[in-house]
């Protein structure tokens, strides 16, 4: 397999990672599977470079690798934004739970008296 084929596979895997929907229930499993495949491809690329005693990459290979890095950064930013949004929601739930505990009926009196103001 040529270095061009390996780099193109890496590019395709990275694109697929960007297409995985964050709203999908199997998001984590899909992302992990794609990351595993990308890791294997990167290992093959490193091995190819080592076997062929390469010091650098041809321009077209380097260009594709840079695009992969840009996509990875974009995915990282999207995941970070999703994480921050989820943390805000979790904090809101926590605040609502505290408020519910403060005003809960557990603090009401168990015994009371009815006072009839008409008498």
């Amino acid at each position: 397999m040529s270095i061009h084929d390996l780099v193109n596979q890496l590019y395709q895997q990275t694109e697929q990672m960007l297409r995985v929907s964050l709203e999908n229930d199997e998001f984590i499993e899909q992302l992990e599977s794609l990351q595993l495949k990308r890791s294997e491809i990167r290992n093959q690329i490193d091995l190819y470079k080592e076997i062929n005693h390469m010091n650098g990459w041809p321009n077209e290979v380097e260009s594709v690798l840079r695009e992969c890095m840009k996509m990875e950064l974009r995915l990282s930013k999207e995941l970070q934004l999703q994480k921050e949004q989820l943390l805000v929601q979790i904090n809101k739930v926590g605040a609502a739970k505290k408020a519910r505990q403060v005003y809960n009926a557990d603090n009401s009196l168990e015994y009371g008296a009815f006072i009839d103001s008409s008498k």
Side-chain angles (χ1 to χ4, degrees), residues 9 11 13-14 22 33 54-55 61 67-69 79-80 91 96-97 99-101 106:
Q9 284 181 7
Y11 184 86
Q13 290 295 317
T14 307
L22 298 174
S33 172
M54 298 176 72
N55 294 329
V61 170
E67 285 299 315
C68 288
M69 285 179 53
L79 292 174
Q80 184 63 32
N91 289 336
K97 184 177 178 181
R100 191 171 45 249
Q101 288 173 347
D106 292 342

mmCIF file of all heavy atoms in Angstrom, residues 9 11 13-14 22 33 54-55 61 67-69 79-80 91 96-97 99-101 106:
data_model
loop_
_atom_site.group_PDB
_atom_site.id
_atom_site.type_symbol
_atom_site.label_atom_id
_atom_site.label_comp_id
_atom_site.label_asym_id
_atom_site.label_seq_id
_atom_site.Cartn_x
_atom_site.Cartn_y
_atom_site.Cartn_z
ATOM 1 N N GLN A 9 -6.792 7.220 3.338
ATOM 2 C CA GLN A 9 -7.620 6.486 4.302
ATOM 3 C C GLN A 9 -7.751 7.272 5.603
ATOM 4 O O GLN A 9 -8.842 7.342 6.182
ATOM 5 C CB GLN A 9 -7.019 5.111 4.590
ATOM 6 C CG GLN A 9 -7.213 4.101 3.524
ATOM 7 C CD GLN A 9 -6.610 2.749 3.913
ATOM 8 O OE1 GLN A 9 -6.158 2.541 5.035
ATOM 9 N NE2 GLN A 9 -6.612 1.822 2.964
ATOM 10 N N TYR A 11 -7.562 10.473 5.942
ATOM 11 C CA TYR A 11 -8.437 11.614 5.635
ATOM 12 C C TYR A 11 -9.907 11.183 5.671
ATOM 13 O O TYR A 11 -10.749 11.850 6.263
ATOM 14 C CB TYR A 11 -8.066 12.187 4.265
ATOM 15 C CG TYR A 11 -8.835 13.429 3.905
ATOM 16 C CD1 TYR A 11 -8.390 14.680 4.308
ATOM 17 C CD2 TYR A 11 -10.001 13.355 3.156
ATOM 18 C CE1 TYR A 11 -9.085 15.834 3.979
ATOM 19 C CE2 TYR A 11 -10.706 14.493 2.825
ATOM 20 C CZ TYR A 11 -10.245 15.728 3.234
ATOM 21 O OH TYR A 11 -10.951 16.862 2.919
ATOM 22 N N GLN A 13 -11.263 8.614 7.228
ATOM 23 C CA GLN A 13 -11.665 8.289 8.596
ATOM 24 C C GLN A 13 -11.935 9.565 9.394
ATOM 25 O O GLN A 13 -12.884 9.639 10.173
ATOM 26 C CB GLN A 13 -10.585 7.457 9.302
ATOM 27 C CG GLN A 13 -10.440 6.056 8.775
ATOM 28 C CD GLN A 13 -11.673 5.220 9.026
ATOM 29 O OE1 GLN A 13 -12.256 5.250 10.094
ATOM 30 N NE2 GLN A 13 -12.078 4.476 8.013
ATOM 31 N N THR A 14 -11.100 10.574 9.186
ATOM 32 C CA THR A 14 -11.273 11.836 9.898
ATOM 33 C C THR A 14 -12.565 12.507 9.462
ATOM 34 O O THR A 14 -13.304 13.041 10.297
ATOM 35 C CB THR A 14 -10.063 12.765 9.644
ATOM 36 O OG1 THR A 14 -8.872 12.056 9.965
ATOM 37 C CG2 THR A 14 -10.144 14.010 10.501
ATOM 38 N N LEU A 22 -23.620 14.053 17.078
ATOM 39 C CA LEU A 22 -23.511 14.105 18.532
ATOM 40 C C LEU A 22 -24.825 13.717 19.198
ATOM 41 O O LEU A 22 -24.852 13.372 20.373
ATOM 42 C CB LEU A 22 -23.094 15.512 18.973
ATOM 43 C CG LEU A 22 -21.742 16.002 18.476
ATOM 44 C CD1 LEU A 22 -21.522 17.455 18.871
ATOM 45 C CD2 LEU A 22 -20.628 15.139 19.011
ATOM 46 N N SER A 33 -14.665 3.632 17.572
ATOM 47 C CA SER A 33 -14.329 2.736 16.471
ATOM 48 C C SER A 33 -13.531 3.474 15.395
ATOM 49 O O SER A 33 -12.508 2.962 14.902
ATOM 50 C CB SER A 33 -15.615 2.164 15.870
ATOM 51 O OG SER A 33 -15.339 1.436 14.700
ATOM 52 N N MET A 54 12.351 7.781 5.505
ATOM 53 C CA MET A 54 11.926 9.102 5.031
ATOM 54 C C MET A 54 12.162 10.132 6.122
ATOM 55 O O MET A 54 11.874 9.892 7.288
ATOM 56 C CB MET A 54 10.438 9.068 4.646
ATOM 57 C CG MET A 54 10.125 8.115 3.509
ATOM 58 S SD MET A 54 8.358 8.025 3.165
ATOM 59 C CE MET A 54 8.090 9.607 2.404
ATOM 60 N N ASN A 55 12.674 11.282 5.736
ATOM 61 C CA ASN A 55 12.873 12.393 6.670
ATOM 62 C C ASN A 55 11.692 13.356 6.656
ATOM 63 O O ASN A 55 11.447 14.047 7.634
ATOM 64 C CB ASN A 55 14.159 13.156 6.340
ATOM 65 C CG ASN A 55 15.386 12.313 6.572
ATOM 66 O OD1 ASN A 55 15.388 11.459 7.444
ATOM 67 N ND2 ASN A 55 16.425 12.551 5.795
ATOM 68 N N VAL A 61 1.279 14.799 0.287
ATOM 69 C CA VAL A 61 1.009 14.027 1.505
ATOM 70 C C VAL A 61 0.941 14.979 2.700
ATOM 71 O O VAL A 61 0.022 14.888 3.529
ATOM 72 C CB VAL A 61 2.085 12.941 1.718
ATOM 73 C CG1 VAL A 61 1.948 12.309 3.089
ATOM 74 C CG2 VAL A 61 2.010 11.897 0.627
ATOM 75 N N GLU A 67 -4.665 18.915 6.440
ATOM 76 C CA GLU A 67 -6.135 18.953 6.405
ATOM 77 C C GLU A 67 -6.719 18.042 7.487
ATOM 78 O O GLU A 67 -7.703 18.394 8.131
ATOM 79 C CB GLU A 67 -6.659 18.535 5.022
ATOM 80 C CG GLU A 67 -6.486 19.586 3.962
ATOM 81 C CD GLU A 67 -7.222 20.872 4.278
ATOM 82 O OE1 GLU A 67 -8.401 20.817 4.706
ATOM 83 O OE2 GLU A 67 -6.616 21.947 4.106
ATOM 84 N N CYS A 68 -6.109 16.896 7.684
ATOM 85 C CA CYS A 68 -6.562 15.983 8.742
ATOM 86 C C CYS A 68 -6.436 16.650 10.110
ATOM 87 O O CYS A 68 -7.335 16.541 10.947
ATOM 88 C CB CYS A 68 -5.759 14.686 8.720
ATOM 89 S SG CYS A 68 -6.129 13.612 7.324
ATOM 90 N N MET A 69 -5.328 17.341 10.311
ATOM 91 C CA MET A 69 -5.127 18.033 11.589
ATOM 92 C C MET A 69 -6.177 19.123 11.786
ATOM 93 O O MET A 69 -6.708 19.289 12.887
ATOM 94 C CB MET A 69 -3.724 18.633 11.646
ATOM 95 C CG MET A 69 -2.638 17.611 11.872
ATOM 96 S SD MET A 69 -0.972 18.292 11.900
ATOM 97 C CE MET A 69 -1.105 19.582 13.110
ATOM 98 N N LEU A 79 -16.571 19.000 20.191
ATOM 99 C CA LEU A 79 -16.761 18.161 21.380
ATOM 100 C C LEU A 79 -16.633 18.992 22.660
ATOM 101 O O LEU A 79 -17.383 18.782 23.616
ATOM 102 C CB LEU A 79 -15.761 17.010 21.379
ATOM 103 C CG LEU A 79 -15.960 15.956 20.301
ATOM 104 C CD1 LEU A 79 -14.820 14.944 20.317
ATOM 105 C CD2 LEU A 79 -17.297 15.256 20.459
ATOM 106 N N GLN A 80 -15.704 19.931 22.668
ATOM 107 C CA GLN A 80 -15.532 20.798 23.838
ATOM 108 C C GLN A 80 -16.775 21.659 24.046
ATOM 109 O O GLN A 80 -17.237 21.828 25.175
ATOM 110 C CB GLN A 80 -14.288 21.684 23.670
ATOM 111 C CG GLN A 80 -13.987 22.537 24.874
ATOM 112 C CD GLN A 80 -13.654 21.727 26.116
ATOM 113 O OE1 GLN A 80 -13.078 20.647 26.037
ATOM 114 N NE2 GLN A 80 -14.017 22.241 27.257
ATOM 115 N N ASN A 91 -25.456 21.699 35.732
ATOM 116 C CA ASN A 91 -25.471 22.700 36.804
ATOM 117 C C ASN A 91 -26.878 23.231 37.053
ATOM 118 O O ASN A 91 -27.257 23.477 38.197
ATOM 119 C CB ASN A 91 -24.508 23.842 36.485
ATOM 120 C CG ASN A 91 -23.060 23.411 36.591
ATOM 121 O OD1 ASN A 91 -22.733 22.458 37.287
ATOM 122 N ND2 ASN A 91 -22.187 24.103 35.889
ATOM 123 N N ALA A 96 -31.659 23.368 40.513
ATOM 124 C CA ALA A 96 -33.088 23.098 40.690
ATOM 125 C C ALA A 96 -33.301 22.087 41.814
ATOM 126 O O ALA A 96 -34.238 22.208 42.607
ATOM 127 C CB ALA A 96 -33.690 22.578 39.393
ATOM 128 N N LYS A 97 -32.414 21.118 41.907
ATOM 129 C CA LYS A 97 -32.526 20.112 42.974
ATOM 130 C C LYS A 97 -32.332 20.763 44.337
ATOM 131 O O LYS A 97 -33.053 20.461 45.283
ATOM 132 C CB LYS A 97 -31.490 19.017 42.749
ATOM 133 C CG LYS A 97 -31.578 17.873 43.729
ATOM 134 C CD LYS A 97 -30.561 16.795 43.399
ATOM 135 C CE LYS A 97 -30.619 15.675 44.419
ATOM 136 N NZ LYS A 97 -29.622 14.634 44.129
ATOM 137 N N ALA A 99 -32.903 23.910 45.127
ATOM 138 C CA ALA A 99 -34.079 24.739 45.401
ATOM 139 C C ALA A 99 -35.258 23.871 45.837
ATOM 140 O O ALA A 99 -35.995 24.229 46.751
ATOM 141 C CB ALA A 99 -34.446 25.547 44.159
ATOM 142 N N ARG A 100 -35.404 22.735 45.211
ATOM 143 C CA ARG A 100 -36.504 21.832 45.563
ATOM 144 C C ARG A 100 -36.313 21.313 46.985
ATOM 145 O O ARG A 100 -37.268 21.170 47.747
ATOM 146 C CB ARG A 100 -36.548 20.684 44.553
ATOM 147 C CG ARG A 100 -37.778 19.835 44.650
ATOM 148 C CD ARG A 100 -37.927 18.827 43.504
ATOM 149 N NE ARG A 100 -36.716 18.107 43.165
ATOM 150 C CZ ARG A 100 -36.025 18.270 42.034
ATOM 151 N NH1 ARG A 100 -36.422 19.157 41.142
ATOM 152 N NH2 ARG A 100 -34.944 17.567 41.798
ATOM 153 N N GLN A 101 -35.071 21.044 47.367
ATOM 154 C CA GLN A 101 -34.808 20.557 48.712
ATOM 155 C C GLN A 101 -35.081 21.638 49.752
ATOM 156 O O GLN A 101 -35.585 21.349 50.834
ATOM 157 C CB GLN A 101 -33.360 20.079 48.829
ATOM 158 C CG GLN A 101 -33.102 18.787 48.101
ATOM 159 C CD GLN A 101 -31.628 18.409 48.073
ATOM 160 O OE1 GLN A 101 -30.773 19.223 48.385
ATOM 161 N NE2 GLN A 101 -31.335 17.175 47.693
ATOM 162 N N ASP A 106 -40.853 18.472 53.335
ATOM 163 C CA ASP A 106 -40.266 17.819 54.508
ATOM 164 C C ASP A 106 -40.084 18.803 55.655
ATOM 165 O O ASP A 106 -40.024 18.409 56.815
ATOM 166 C CB ASP A 106 -38.902 17.209 54.166
ATOM 167 C CG ASP A 106 -39.027 16.044 53.210
ATOM 168 O OD1 ASP A 106 -40.143 15.492 53.088
ATOM 169 O OD2 ASP A 106 -38.005 15.687 52.577
#
